[in-house]
């Protein structure tokens, strides 16, 4: 493991971050009503990267007004589904044409390796917009044969319409800033909703740059409003606003519960994509040549800052040492450094707060008897780096096994009885994802059937696609992102019934 540093910055990104960035309300770039700005930091150095307009209650008020006007009276509602689809497709094209710039921005603001942002974050966001663009013209209702027993002989024509839910508030986290914006905006726009998007305070830049492309693509004013700011102020005001019809949130389970309370005022619809503590189960009959790197990447991808990270590694006892040593060997070889350095495989955590949180979990683990066979500490002279860490001697009652760490820390535990593993894997308040590694297809599908998780990967991990739904069982959330499931969250069904005779 080595620390690599590089100062290279893309020229267009340098221009973008030079001046304080404004917020997008009703198609215009404006300062916060309070005039306040807040800093976003480069997590590789801890230095201020850019200043951003700090949205608060008054800005949310203006953004909701703009979104309401655009929904009720604007050209957006009069556009055909095909026109709407073409705008979303165009946004995907514009994003793709600026892949390099977005990857730099994402790497600088979030800390992730530039190569990962270029290969995964930006192309996945482009693909999501294209997938959702296609759905705009395919949101069909049904015709329904009625029997109505109390009107014998009468005939009816009954059908359903799928209508947009209305003005939608979307609050997103910092781990995949651009991709989370795409997951949220794509289905909202495909269904004809209007949006107020609040990016995470740690990583507002790529959403703001995306806002420029939204304007360039030609979306009517007020259809997408982007208000950066803090969760307790701008986020809370959006969640509680009485003229918002739906709130879509991705973030911690703790804040998800606050959102549910805030939404109760006007009973707005709520969808939540929350935390996880996902079990990753390796059987002795697995192809260990792929299971070992798979288990390493399940936890170390994006520095473990994934809600679906494979943070509980269960390995059948006879291959436990081999698998755990193999994962540790992968961890040992990971080059930790600035996301902009081409050598870097793992960047810094997103913030000082996150660094302290992860280090706090490590201390709690050690004090309860866990042992690190690799890693276990903060690293680097500056920035928010943590060593990739493999913990053994862990038990299910430990904090590091029960709670979401959201860092590059995996707890490895052996199991003997293949029948017992399902109970242990499901022993969590979360249910976002799970994985099984085995060559026995019956066993794989038996586990897939029994695992209480929204996604089950078999002999792979962290595979995402715009067409495949993603979301949680239990306290990992309500509703699904991506796939056609996501469209249900942004539409409501109207039944229309006509008496014919
Ligand atoms: P993390 O703890 O990983 O930063 P959070 O759940 O706190 O995750 O943050 C996810 C998103 O939720 C961010 O955009 C943040 O600003 C927002 N947020 C935080 N607190 C609140 C709140 N009380 N109401 C609404 N949004 C919030």
């Amino acid at each position: 493991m080595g620390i690599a540093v590089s100062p290279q910055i893309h020229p267009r990104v340098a221009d973008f971050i030079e001046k304080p960035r404004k917020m997008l309300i009703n198609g215009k770039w404006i300062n916060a009503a309070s005039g306040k700005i807040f800093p976003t930091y480069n997590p590789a150095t801890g230095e201020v990267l850019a200043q951003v307009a700090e949205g608060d209650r008054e800005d949310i008020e203006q953004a909701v007004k703009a979104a309401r006007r655009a929904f009720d009276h604007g050209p957006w509602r009069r556009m055909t589904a095909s026109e709407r689809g073409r705008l979303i497709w165009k946004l995907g094209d514009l994003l793709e044409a600026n892949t390099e710039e977005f990857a730099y921005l994402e790497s600088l603001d979030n800390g992730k390796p530039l190569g990962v942002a270029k290969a995964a974050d930006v192309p996945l966001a482009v693909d999501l917009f294209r997938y959702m663009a296609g759905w705009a013209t395919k949101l069909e209702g049904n015709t329904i044969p009625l029997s109505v027993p109390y009107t014998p002989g009468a005939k009816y024509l009954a059908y359903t319409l799928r209508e947009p839910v209305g003005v939608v508030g979307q609050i997103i986290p910092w781990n995949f800033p651009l991709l989370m914006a795409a997951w949220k905006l794509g289905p909202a726009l495909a269904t004809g909703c209007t949006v107020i998007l609040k990016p995470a305070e740690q990583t507002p830049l790529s959403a703001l740059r995306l806002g420029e492309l939204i304007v360039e693509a030609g979306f009517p004013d007020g259809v997408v409003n982007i208000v950066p700011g803090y969760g307790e102020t701008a986020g809370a005001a959006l969640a509680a606003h009485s003229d918002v019809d739906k709130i879509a949130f991705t973030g911690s389970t703790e804040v998800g519960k606050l959102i549910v309370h805030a939404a109760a005022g006007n009973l707005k619809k709520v969808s939540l994509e929350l935390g996880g503590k996902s079990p990753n189960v390796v059987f002795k009959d697995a192809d260990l040549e792929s299971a070992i790197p798979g288990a390493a990447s399940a936890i170390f991808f994006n520095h473990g800052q994934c809600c679906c990270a494979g943070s509980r590694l269960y390995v059948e006892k006879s291959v436990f040492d081999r698998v755990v040593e193999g994962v540790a060997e992968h961890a040992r070889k990971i080059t930790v450094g600035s996301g902009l350095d081409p050598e870097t495989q793992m960047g810094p955590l997103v913030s000082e707060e996150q660094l302290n949180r992860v280090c706090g979990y490590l201390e709690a683990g050690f004090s309860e008897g866990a042992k690190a066979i690799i890693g276990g500490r903060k690293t680097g002279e500056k920035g928010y780096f943590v060593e990739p860490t493999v913990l053994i001697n862990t038990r299910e009652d430990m904090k590091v096994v029960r709670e979401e760490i959201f860092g590059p820390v995996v707890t490895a535990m052996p199991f003997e009885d293949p029948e017992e593993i399902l109970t242990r894997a499901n022993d969590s308040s979360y249910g976002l994802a799970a994985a099984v590694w085995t060559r026995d297809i019956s066993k794989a599908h038996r586990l897939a059937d029994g695992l209480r998780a929204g996604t089950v990967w078999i002999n792979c991990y962290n595979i995402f696609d715009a067409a495949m739904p993603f979301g949680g069982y239990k306290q990992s959330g309500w509703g699904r992102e991506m796939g056609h499931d996501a469209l249900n969250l942004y539409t409501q069904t109207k039944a229309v019934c006509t008496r014919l005779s």
Side-chain angles (χ1 to χ4, degrees):
M1 184 170 61
I3 296 285
V5 215
S6 161
Q8 293 300 316
I9 296 190
H10 189 281
R12 281 218 302 277
V13 169
D15 280 353
F16 187 76
I17 61 178
E18 199 192 335
K19 284 189 284 231
R21 302 312 315 176
K22 298 182 177 182
M23 57 183 78
L24 178 63
I25 296 182
N26 204 29
K28 311 280 174 307
W29 291 98
I30 58 172
N31 293 318
S34 66
K36 282 202 222 166
I37 52 173
F38 71 101
T40 177
Y41 297 90
N42 176 348
T45 61
E47 289 157 9
V48 172
L49 176 62
Q51 299 285 350
V52 176
E54 185 186 327
D56 203 334
R57 184 170 302 277
E58 180 51 30
D59 308 286
I60 291 292
E61 193 58 45
Q62 295 311 316
V64 172
K65 275 199 182 115
R68 175 54 61 195
R69 234 181 357 255
F71 185 77
D72 290 342
H73 308 294
W76 185 236
R77 283 307 291 281
R78 293 191 296 274
M79 264 184 197
T80 65
S82 166
E83 286 168 327
R84 224 169 45 233
R86 266 178 284 158
L87 277 179
I88 303 169
W89 188 277
K90 189 165 172 194
L91 179 58
D93 281 350
L94 287 171
L95 183 56
E96 187 175 49
N98 292 285
T99 297
E100 192 84 9
E101 183 191 345
F102 272 89
Y104 266 87
L105 206 49
E106 208 70 331
S107 174
L108 265 178
D109 207 9
N110 165 280
K112 65 180 65 204
L114 178 62
V116 171
K118 219 186 292 185
D121 296 64
V122 184
L124 281 169
V126 170
D127 203 45
L128 189 287
F129 284 126
R130 289 186 178 146
Y131 173 84
M132 289 297 172
W135 268 114
T137 47
K138 295 162 194 72
L139 300 167
E140 298 168 350
N142 298 312
T143 52
I144 304 164
L146 298 194
S147 306
V148 201
Y150 53 85
T151 58
K155 281 196 158 185
Y156 299 93
L157 170 64
Y159 60 91
T160 54
L161 297 170
R162 287 180 73 189
E163 298 189 338
V165 86
V167 172
V168 180
Q170 303 186 316
I171 300 175
I172 55 173
W174 44 258
N175 56 345
F176 295 89
L178 173 70
L179 188 58
M180 293 301 103
W183 281 17
K184 291 275 181 283
L185 289 171
L189 296 173
T191 51
C193 295
T194 59
V195 175
I196 304 97
L197 176 76
K198 194 206 81 65
E201 54 269 39
Q202 297 86 349
T203 55
L205 298 178
S206 56
L208 292 171
R209 179 71 183 103
L210 186 68
E212 295 186 344
L213 299 188
I214 287 168
V215 173
E216 188 180 337
F219 284 88
D221 292 349
V223 170
V224 177
N225 305 275
I226 304 178
V227 182
Y230 292 101
E232 303 74 22
T233 52
L238 184 57
H241 201 290
S242 59
D243 213 15
V244 170
D245 299 306
K246 169 188 163 57
I247 197 97
F249 171 76
T250 298
S252 59
T253 293
E254 188 192 345
V255 174
K257 291 180 184 179
L258 295 176
I259 300 278
V260 170
H261 284 284
N266 69 335
L267 286 179
K268 58 174 69 66
K269 316 278 184 276
V270 178
S271 54
L272 305 167
E273 201 259 274
L274 307 175
K277 190 74 187 177
S278 298
N280 190 12
V281 182
V282 181
F283 286 97
K284 66 178 183 222
D285 63 4
D287 170 12
L288 298 185
E289 295 298 309
S290 61
I292 291 170
S297 117
I299 183 64
F300 299 132
F301 174 66
N302 214 41
H303 331 157
Q305 301 171 131
C306 298
C307 38
C308 57
S311 51
R312 286 187 291 143
L313 176 61
Y314 291 102
V315 186
E316 199 160 355
K317 195 160 184 202
S318 61
V319 294
F320 182 78
D321 289 348
R322 186 171 156 205
V323 170
V324 170
E325 273 156 28
V327 172
E329 192 50 32
H330 274 271
R332 194 170 290 118
K333 290 189 186 140
I334 291 174
T335 306
V336 179
S338 157
L340 293 187
D341 193 300
E343 300 293 311
T344 292
Q345 292 162 310
M346 185 186 286
L349 299 183
V350 75
S351 63
E352 190 168 12
E353 186 188 354
Q354 192 58 18
L355 173 70
N356 293 336
R357 202 174 140 208
V358 173
C359 291
Y361 272 112
L362 287 169
E363 278 163 30
F366 297 139
S367 72
E368 288 186 291
K371 181 175 164 230
I373 57 167
I374 181 84
R377 283 172 312 180
K378 174 182 185 319
T379 178
E381 313 259 286
K382 56 181 180 174
Y384 314 133
F385 298 93
V386 172
E387 293 173 341
T389 300
V390 179
L391 296 180
I392 55 168
N393 295 353
T394 51
R395 300 178 314 270
E396 265 97 3
D397 61 347
M398 288 180 174
K399 207 170 151 162
V400 283
V401 177
R402 303 209 72 77
E403 295 183 20
E404 182 176 45
I405 298 176
F406 227 64
V409 181
V410 64
T411 61
M413 287 164 288
F415 67 92
E416 278 182 89
D417 175 2
E419 297 308 316
E420 126 215 68
I421 191 55
L422 196 55
T423 312
R424 291 176 67 187
N426 282 335
D427 179 18
S428 169
S429 56
Y430 295 112
L432 191 57
V436 186
W437 301 80
T438 174
R439 286 193 174 99
D440 177 340
I441 58 164
S442 303
K443 187 157 65 185
H445 289 290
R446 221 168 36 241
L447 253 84
D449 179 53
L451 283 163
R452 296 197 63 212
T455 297
V456 178
W457 286 295
I458 298 174
N459 295 333
C460 59
Y461 209 100
N462 280 335
I463 298 301
F464 293 96
D465 192 277
M468 190 162 72
F470 180 77
Y473 280 40
K474 299 192 263 183
Q475 293 193 33
S476 289
W478 293 347
R480 296 292 176 266
E481 309 274 342
M482 302 193 289
H484 49 78
D485 280 59
L487 301 159
N488 295 334
L489 305 174
Y490 290 89
T491 51
Q492 47 198 350
T493 301
K494 179 182 280 174
V496 182
C497 175
T498 316
R499 182 153 184 167
L500 299 179
S501 64

